[in-house]
Amino acid sequence: MTAPEPGRIISWHGNPSKPRYTPPAGAIDAHCHVFGPMAQFPFSAKAKYLPQDAGPDMLFALRDHLGFARNVIVQASCHGTDNAATLDAITKSNGKARGVAVVDPAISEADLAALHEGGMRGIRFNFLKRLVDDAPKDKFLEVARRLPKGWHVVIYFEADILEELRPFMDAIPVPLVIDHMGRPDVTQGPDGADMKAFRAFLDSRDDIWFKATCPDRLDPTGDPWNAFAEAVAPLVADYQDRVLWGTDWPHPNMQDVIPDDGHLVDMIPRIAPTVELQRKLLIDNPMRLYWPEEL
Ligand SMILES: O=C(O)/C=C(\CC(=O)C(=O)O)C(=O)O
Protein backbone atom coordinates (compact mmCIF):
# COMPACT_ATOMS: atom_id res chain seq x y z
CA MET A 1 0.00 0.00 0.00
CA THR A 2 1.25 3.48 -0.79
CA ALA A 3 1.99 5.89 2.05
CA PRO A 4 -0.85 8.20 3.10
CA GLU A 5 -0.93 11.77 1.86
CA PRO A 6 0.20 14.26 4.51
CA GLY A 7 -2.46 14.73 7.18
CA ARG A 8 -4.51 11.77 6.00
CA ILE A 9 -4.82 8.48 7.85
CA ILE A 10 -4.76 4.82 6.82
CA SER A 11 -6.68 2.68 9.29
CA TRP A 12 -7.05 -0.54 7.26
CA HIS A 13 -4.85 -3.54 6.52
CA GLY A 14 -3.08 -3.43 3.17
CA ASN A 15 -3.05 -7.18 2.67
CA PRO A 16 -5.65 -8.90 4.86
CA SER A 17 -5.37 -12.68 5.18
CA LYS A 18 -7.82 -15.10 3.64
CA PRO A 19 -10.12 -16.23 6.48
CA ARG A 20 -10.05 -19.88 7.50
CA TYR A 21 -13.81 -19.66 8.03
CA THR A 22 -15.94 -19.64 4.87
CA PRO A 23 -19.16 -17.62 5.24
CA PRO A 24 -22.33 -19.21 3.83
CA ALA A 25 -23.43 -18.19 0.32
CA GLY A 26 -25.30 -14.89 0.53
CA ALA A 27 -23.52 -13.68 3.68
CA ILE A 28 -23.83 -9.95 4.48
CA ASP A 29 -21.18 -7.66 5.97
CA ALA A 30 -23.69 -5.44 7.80
CA HIS A 31 -21.33 -2.77 9.14
CA CYS A 32 -18.76 -1.11 6.93
CA HIS A 33 -18.05 2.35 5.54
CA VAL A 34 -16.54 4.14 2.56
CA PHE A 35 -14.23 7.16 2.68
CA GLY A 36 -14.48 9.39 -0.37
CA PRO A 37 -12.80 9.36 -2.79
CA MET A 38 -12.12 12.85 -1.46
CA ALA A 39 -11.68 14.51 -4.87
CA GLN A 40 -15.26 13.55 -5.70
CA PHE A 41 -16.80 13.48 -2.22
CA PRO A 42 -14.99 15.91 0.10
CA PHE A 43 -15.01 15.21 3.82
CA SER A 44 -17.11 17.30 6.21
CA ALA A 45 -15.57 20.51 7.56
CA LYS A 46 -16.46 19.09 11.01
CA ALA A 47 -14.74 15.70 10.43
CA LYS A 48 -12.73 14.51 13.44
CA TYR A 49 -10.42 12.40 11.28
CA LEU A 50 -9.19 12.78 7.72
CA PRO A 51 -8.71 9.38 6.13
CA GLN A 52 -7.05 8.33 2.93
CA ASP A 53 -9.55 7.33 0.23
CA ALA A 54 -11.24 3.98 0.80
CA GLY A 55 -13.87 3.87 -1.90
CA PRO A 56 -16.33 1.33 -3.27
CA ASP A 57 -13.85 -0.56 -5.47
CA MET A 58 -11.73 -1.35 -2.43
CA LEU A 59 -14.78 -2.29 -0.35
CA PHE A 60 -16.14 -4.67 -2.98
CA ALA A 61 -12.72 -6.27 -3.55
CA LEU A 62 -12.52 -6.94 0.20
CA ARG A 63 -16.09 -8.30 0.20
CA ASP A 64 -15.12 -10.83 -2.46
CA HIS A 65 -11.80 -11.67 -0.81
CA LEU A 66 -13.50 -12.42 2.53
CA GLY A 67 -16.30 -14.47 0.92
CA PHE A 68 -19.25 -12.13 1.43
CA ALA A 69 -22.08 -11.38 -0.99
CA ARG A 70 -23.46 -8.03 0.19
CA ASN A 71 -22.66 -4.97 2.29
CA VAL A 72 -24.54 -2.59 4.52
CA ILE A 73 -22.65 0.68 4.26
CA VAL A 74 -23.00 2.99 7.23
CA GLN A 75 -22.35 6.68 6.65
CA ALA A 76 -19.18 7.53 8.58
CA SER A 77 -18.91 10.70 10.66
CA CYS A 78 -16.11 12.08 8.45
CA HIS A 79 -18.73 12.66 5.73
CA GLY A 80 -21.10 14.50 8.06
CA THR A 81 -24.69 14.64 6.80
CA ASP A 82 -23.76 14.59 3.10
CA ASN A 83 -24.53 11.01 2.12
CA ALA A 84 -23.27 11.30 -1.47
CA ALA A 85 -20.24 9.00 -1.06
CA THR A 86 -22.31 6.28 0.61
CA LEU A 87 -25.08 6.59 -2.01
CA ASP A 88 -22.50 6.40 -4.80
CA ALA A 89 -21.09 3.18 -3.32
CA ILE A 90 -24.59 1.70 -3.04
CA THR A 91 -25.27 2.56 -6.70
CA LYS A 92 -21.98 1.02 -7.80
CA SER A 93 -22.77 -2.21 -5.92
CA ASN A 94 -25.46 -3.20 -8.45
CA GLY A 95 -27.95 -4.11 -5.76
CA LYS A 96 -25.43 -5.78 -3.48
CA ALA A 97 -25.33 -2.95 -0.94
CA ARG A 98 -27.78 -0.96 1.09
CA GLY A 99 -27.05 1.76 3.58
CA VAL A 100 -27.61 3.71 6.75
CA ALA A 101 -27.60 7.51 6.44
CA VAL A 102 -26.69 10.35 8.76
CA VAL A 103 -29.09 13.24 8.26
CA ASP A 104 -29.70 16.78 9.38
CA PRO A 105 -32.77 16.23 11.61
CA ALA A 106 -34.55 18.99 9.68
CA ILE A 107 -34.43 16.89 6.49
CA SER A 108 -37.56 17.06 4.34
CA GLU A 109 -39.86 14.12 3.60
CA ALA A 110 -38.86 14.39 -0.08
CA ASP A 111 -35.16 14.08 0.79
CA LEU A 112 -35.85 11.08 3.04
CA ALA A 113 -37.75 9.48 0.15
CA ALA A 114 -34.76 10.13 -2.13
CA LEU A 115 -32.46 8.42 0.38
CA HIS A 116 -34.81 5.43 0.38
CA GLU A 117 -34.71 5.36 -3.41
CA GLY A 118 -30.90 5.43 -3.19
CA GLY A 119 -30.86 2.32 -0.99
CA MET A 120 -30.85 3.72 2.55
CA ARG A 121 -32.91 1.83 5.10
CA GLY A 122 -32.10 3.64 8.33
CA ILE A 123 -30.44 6.61 9.98
CA ARG A 124 -27.64 6.67 12.51
CA PHE A 125 -27.39 8.70 15.70
CA ASN A 126 -23.82 8.95 16.95
CA PHE A 127 -23.24 9.84 20.63
CA LEU A 128 -19.45 9.50 20.70
CA LYS A 129 -18.07 12.87 21.74
CA ARG A 130 -14.77 12.22 19.97
CA LEU A 131 -16.66 11.83 16.67
CA VAL A 132 -19.43 14.44 16.70
CA ASP A 133 -19.83 17.92 18.19
CA ASP A 134 -23.42 17.54 19.31
CA ALA A 135 -26.19 14.97 19.40
CA PRO A 136 -29.53 16.76 19.95
CA LYS A 137 -31.91 14.14 21.36
CA ASP A 138 -35.06 16.21 20.88
CA LYS A 139 -34.31 16.77 17.19
CA PHE A 140 -33.25 13.14 16.70
CA LEU A 141 -36.55 12.00 18.17
CA GLU A 142 -38.51 14.29 15.89
CA VAL A 143 -36.91 12.86 12.74
CA ALA A 144 -37.13 9.28 14.06
CA ARG A 145 -40.91 9.76 14.17
CA ARG A 146 -41.18 10.52 10.45
CA LEU A 147 -38.91 7.99 8.76
CA PRO A 148 -39.93 6.09 5.62
CA LYS A 149 -41.83 2.86 6.25
CA GLY A 150 -39.65 -0.07 7.28
CA TRP A 151 -36.67 2.03 8.38
CA HIS A 152 -34.80 1.67 11.66
CA VAL A 153 -32.49 3.80 13.77
CA VAL A 154 -28.86 2.82 14.38
CA ILE A 155 -27.40 4.19 17.61
CA TYR A 156 -23.73 4.39 18.52
CA PHE A 157 -22.84 5.00 22.17
CA GLU A 158 -20.48 3.81 24.87
CA ALA A 159 -21.56 1.65 27.80
CA ASP A 160 -21.27 4.42 30.38
CA ILE A 161 -24.17 6.39 28.87
CA LEU A 162 -26.60 3.52 28.26
CA GLU A 163 -28.80 4.39 31.26
CA GLU A 164 -28.73 8.11 30.47
CA LEU A 165 -29.93 7.37 26.90
CA ARG A 166 -32.74 5.04 27.97
CA PRO A 167 -35.65 7.56 28.01
CA PHE A 168 -34.59 8.82 24.57
CA MET A 169 -34.19 5.36 23.08
CA ASP A 170 -37.40 4.09 24.70
CA ALA A 171 -39.29 6.88 22.88
CA ILE A 172 -38.05 5.93 19.39
CA PRO A 173 -40.99 4.28 17.63
CA VAL A 174 -39.04 2.16 15.12
CA PRO A 175 -36.59 -0.74 15.57
CA LEU A 176 -33.22 0.14 17.10
CA VAL A 177 -29.89 -1.31 16.01
CA ILE A 178 -27.07 -0.80 18.50
CA ASP A 179 -23.57 -0.50 17.08
CA HIS A 180 -20.93 -2.72 18.67
CA MET A 181 -23.34 -3.72 21.51
CA GLY A 182 -22.95 -0.25 22.99
CA ARG A 183 -19.24 -0.85 23.53
CA PRO A 184 -19.22 -3.05 26.66
CA ASP A 185 -16.02 -3.76 28.55
CA VAL A 186 -15.66 -7.35 27.32
CA THR A 187 -12.88 -8.08 29.82
CA GLN A 188 -15.64 -8.13 32.49
CA GLY A 189 -16.79 -11.39 30.88
CA PRO A 190 -20.23 -12.56 29.76
CA ASP A 191 -21.80 -11.82 33.17
CA GLY A 192 -20.04 -8.50 33.76
CA ALA A 193 -21.91 -5.31 34.65
CA ASP A 194 -21.84 -3.93 31.10
CA MET A 195 -23.24 -7.11 29.53
CA LYS A 196 -25.90 -7.36 32.24
CA ALA A 197 -27.02 -3.78 31.61
CA PHE A 198 -27.07 -4.36 27.85
CA ARG A 199 -29.13 -7.55 28.27
CA ALA A 200 -31.64 -5.69 30.46
CA PHE A 201 -31.95 -3.11 27.71
CA LEU A 202 -32.48 -5.82 25.04
CA ASP A 203 -35.10 -7.43 27.27
CA SER A 204 -37.06 -4.17 27.48
CA ARG A 205 -38.20 -4.42 23.82
CA ASP A 206 -38.13 -7.17 21.25
CA ASP A 207 -37.24 -4.79 18.42
CA ILE A 208 -33.78 -3.83 19.66
CA TRP A 209 -31.09 -5.37 17.46
CA PHE A 210 -27.34 -5.19 17.90
CA LYS A 211 -24.10 -5.73 16.03
CA ALA A 212 -21.71 -8.31 17.47
CA THR A 213 -18.85 -6.37 15.95
CA CYS A 214 -15.45 -4.86 16.61
CA PRO A 215 -13.34 -7.20 18.72
CA ASP A 216 -10.49 -4.94 17.65
CA ARG A 217 -12.12 -1.92 19.31
CA LEU A 218 -13.52 -3.67 22.36
CA ASP A 219 -10.91 -6.22 23.40
CA PRO A 220 -7.66 -4.76 24.75
CA THR A 221 -6.14 -8.28 24.94
CA GLY A 222 -5.70 -8.03 21.15
CA ASP A 223 -5.90 -10.49 18.28
CA PRO A 224 -7.19 -13.29 18.61
CA TRP A 225 -9.51 -11.35 20.95
CA ASN A 226 -10.32 -14.16 23.38
CA ALA A 227 -12.11 -11.88 25.85
CA PHE A 228 -14.46 -10.71 23.10
CA ALA A 229 -15.25 -14.29 22.04
CA GLU A 230 -15.97 -15.35 25.61
CA ALA A 231 -18.17 -12.35 26.44
CA VAL A 232 -20.09 -12.15 23.16
CA ALA A 233 -20.86 -15.81 22.27
CA PRO A 234 -23.57 -16.15 24.99
CA LEU A 235 -25.19 -12.90 23.85
CA VAL A 236 -25.38 -14.13 20.25
CA ALA A 237 -26.89 -17.44 21.39
CA ASP A 238 -29.49 -15.79 23.61
CA TYR A 239 -30.57 -13.09 21.11
CA GLN A 240 -29.95 -14.98 17.90
CA ASP A 241 -32.83 -13.46 15.93
CA ARG A 242 -31.69 -9.84 16.36
CA VAL A 243 -27.95 -9.86 15.96
CA LEU A 244 -25.91 -8.67 12.97
CA TRP A 245 -22.23 -8.95 12.07
CA GLY A 246 -19.86 -6.70 10.12
CA THR A 247 -16.20 -6.04 9.47
CA ASP A 248 -16.29 -2.30 10.32
CA TRP A 249 -13.87 -1.81 7.40
CA PRO A 250 -12.03 0.59 6.87
CA HIS A 251 -11.87 0.67 10.68
CA PRO A 252 -12.06 4.44 11.31
CA ASN A 253 -9.55 5.63 13.92
CA MET A 254 -7.93 2.19 14.32
CA GLN A 255 -4.65 3.24 12.67
CA ASP A 256 -2.60 2.40 15.79
CA VAL A 257 -3.75 -1.23 15.96
CA ILE A 258 -5.05 -2.12 12.51
CA PRO A 259 -6.99 -5.40 12.49
CA ASP A 260 -6.52 -8.12 9.87
CA ASP A 261 -9.96 -8.50 8.27
CA GLY A 262 -9.40 -12.22 7.69
CA HIS A 263 -8.94 -12.65 11.44
CA LEU A 264 -12.12 -10.67 12.11
CA VAL A 265 -14.04 -13.11 9.89
CA ASP A 266 -12.52 -15.99 11.84
CA MET A 267 -14.26 -14.61 14.94
CA ILE A 268 -17.64 -15.58 13.42
CA PRO A 269 -17.60 -19.32 14.26
CA ARG A 270 -16.34 -18.50 17.76
CA ILE A 271 -19.37 -16.33 18.58
CA ALA A 272 -21.83 -18.29 16.39
CA PRO A 273 -20.63 -21.89 16.53
CA THR A 274 -23.45 -23.65 14.65
CA VAL A 275 -24.44 -23.48 11.00
CA GLU A 276 -27.91 -22.30 12.05
CA LEU A 277 -26.54 -19.44 14.17
CA GLN A 278 -24.21 -18.42 11.36
CA ARG A 279 -27.09 -18.37 8.87
CA LYS A 280 -29.16 -16.13 11.16
CA LEU A 281 -26.24 -13.80 11.93
CA LEU A 282 -24.99 -13.41 8.38
CA ILE A 283 -28.09 -13.87 6.21
CA ASP A 284 -31.56 -14.15 7.78
CA ASN A 285 -31.27 -11.24 10.22
CA PRO A 286 -29.66 -8.63 7.96
CA MET A 287 -31.98 -9.64 5.11
CA ARG A 288 -34.98 -8.84 7.33
CA LEU A 289 -33.70 -5.33 8.02
CA TYR A 290 -32.17 -4.43 4.64
CA TRP A 291 -33.71 -6.59 1.88
CA PRO A 292 -37.12 -7.61 3.34
CA GLU A 293 -38.75 -7.56 -0.09
CA GLU A 294 -36.67 -10.61 -1.08
CA LEU A 295 -37.98 -12.77 1.78
O1 LIG B 1 -16.93 2.64 12.53
C1 LIG B 1 -17.41 2.67 13.65
O2 LIG B 1 -18.44 2.07 13.85
C2 LIG B 1 -16.80 3.41 14.70
C3 LIG B 1 -16.13 4.57 14.65
C4 LIG B 1 -16.21 5.53 13.56
C5 LIG B 1 -17.56 6.01 13.33
O3 LIG B 1 -18.51 5.54 13.88
C6 LIG B 1 -17.79 7.15 12.41
O4 LIG B 1 -16.83 7.75 11.94
O5 LIG B 1 -18.96 7.45 12.15
C7 LIG B 1 -15.27 4.91 15.77
O6 LIG B 1 -15.48 4.39 16.87
O7 LIG B 1 -14.33 5.70 15.57
Side-chain angles (χ1 to χ4, degrees):
M1 188 159 46
T2 50
E5 291 161 30
R8 298 182 68 188
I9 296 165
I10 291 182
S11 53
W12 59 93
H13 202 290
N15 187 23
S17 62
K18 191 89 182 160
R20 280 172 298 170
Y21 170 70
T22 305
I28 299 170
D29 174 353
H31 184 92
C32 53
H33 315 276
V34 287
F35 298 152
M38 188 172 84
Q40 201 181 349
F41 305 109
F43 296 108
S44 162
K46 295 181 185 167
K48 302 293 183 234
Y49 56 95
L50 187 63
Q52 189 77 296
D53 292 341
D57 293 351
M58 289 169 65
L59 176 64
F60 302 147
L62 181 81
R63 173 198 68 200
D64 296 346
H65 172 74
L66 298 177
F68 284 77
R70 306 187 195 207
N71 297 104
V72 177
I73 309 175
V74 178
Q75 167 85 351
S77 61
C78 57
H79 278 295
T81 56
D82 180 349
N83 293 281
T86 304
L87 288 166
D88 171 71
I90 294 170
T91 301
K92 290 195 170 124
S93 78
N94 295 318
K96 291 180 173 178
R98 285 210 159 141
V100 174
V102 174
V103 301
D104 179 333
I107 186 171
S108 69
E109 260 64 33
D111 285 346
L112 281 169
L115 289 175
H116 185 90
E117 196 57 33
M120 298 294 190
R121 292 295 180 268
I123 56 172
R124 187 186 201 211
F125 299 147
N126 189 332
F127 285 92
L128 264 68
K129 290 195 172 68
R130 67 179 167 78
L131 293 172
V132 291
D133 293 329
D134 61 348
K137 294 195 197 92
D138 49 341
K139 290 182 183 163
F140 282 173
L141 205 48
E142 191 274 323
V143 66
R145 290 184 169 131
R146 55 187 184 85
L147 294 176
K149 195 164 171 290
W151 279 35
H152 59 274
V153 164
V154 174
I155 308 185
Y156 189 25
F157 61 84
E158 290 175 314
D160 62 342
I161 63 164
L162 169 59
E163 290 313 315
E164 182 191 324
L165 286 181
R166 278 297 297 272
F168 161 72
M169 293 194 290
D170 292 350
I172 294 177
V174 296
L176 306 177
V177 179
I178 309 302
D179 275 346
H180 321 329
M181 301 162 286
R183 299 188 62 117
D185 177 353
V186 294
T187 66
Q188 295 172 351
D191 303 316
D194 286 357
M195 276 298 180
K196 275 201 176 123
F198 191 63
R199 281 171 176 264
F201 173 55
L202 291 176
D203 291 340
S204 72
R205 265 166 74 164
D206 59 14
D207 64 347
I208 304 174
W209 304 56
F210 62 97
K211 297 177 189 165
T213 35
C214 290
D216 50 315
R217 289 185 196 278
L218 302 181
D219 187 348
T221 68
D223 189 352
W225 308 298
N226 292 333
F228 180 95
E230 199 187 321
V232 173
L235 196 71
V236 174
D238 291 346
Y239 299 89
Q240 53 188 270
D241 294 315
R242 36 184 171 138
V243 56
L244 309 172
W245 186 88
T247 55
D248 186 40
W249 188 90
H251 313 291
N253 298 307
M254 292 303 291
Q255 57 275 8
D256 293 335
V257 195
I258 294 175
D260 179 330
D261 300 279
H263 295 183
L264 290 171
V265 172
D266 284 333
M267 177 59 71
I268 293 170
R270 300 175 69 197
I271 57 170
T274 68
V275 167
E276 190 192 358
L277 280 174
Q278 291 161 14
R279 196 197 64 236
K280 288 182 176 190
L281 178 69
L282 300 173
I283 305 173
D284 297 354
N285 296 348
M287 286 296 288
R288 273 160 55 216
L289 276 182
Y290 294 99
W291 283 272
E293 75 281 7
E294 289 187 29
L295 300 176

